[in-house]
Amino acid sequence: MSQERLSVLSGFSRAYVSSVETGRRNATLDTLEVLARTLGVQDWELIAEPSALDRASIEGSEVAPVPEESP
């Protein structure tokens, strides 16, 4: 979803959404709840550390398979 669309749906300005996304501003818990509801995710998902799979999908790369341990 674009910042513009998120701003329209959430009621926050595009500049505010951008500044929160880039870390220039810290969002309050109330703001996180509104953004999460607008995005259709749980609020904790907005602040959780991304997993390797999430990072790979963001970067557009594939996750390397985990090698099996030999006995």
Side-chain angles (χ1 to χ4, degrees):
M1 176 180 302
S2 70
Q3 289 178 352
E4 184 68 30
R5 181 81 174 139
L6 181 58
S7 69
V8 169
L9 294 174
S10 68
F12 298 116
S13 72
R14 194 212 50 82
Y16 180 74
V17 169
S18 174
S19 65
V20 169
E21 182 180 10
T22 59
R24 291 180 306 212
R25 294 187 70 163
N26 293 320
T28 65
L29 290 176
D30 290 336
T31 299
L32 286 176
E33 288 177 0
V34 171
L35 292 173
R37 189 173 38 248
T38 303
L39 292 167
V41 299
Q42 297 293 316
D43 49 4
W44 62 265
E45 292 179 90
L46 296 178
I47 58 173
E49 186 69 31
S51 68
L53 185 59
D54 292 333
R55 285 191 299 273
S57 67
I58 291 168
E59 296 166 1
S61 60
E62 293 187 26
V63 177
V66 176
E68 294 183 26
E69 293 183 25
S70 57

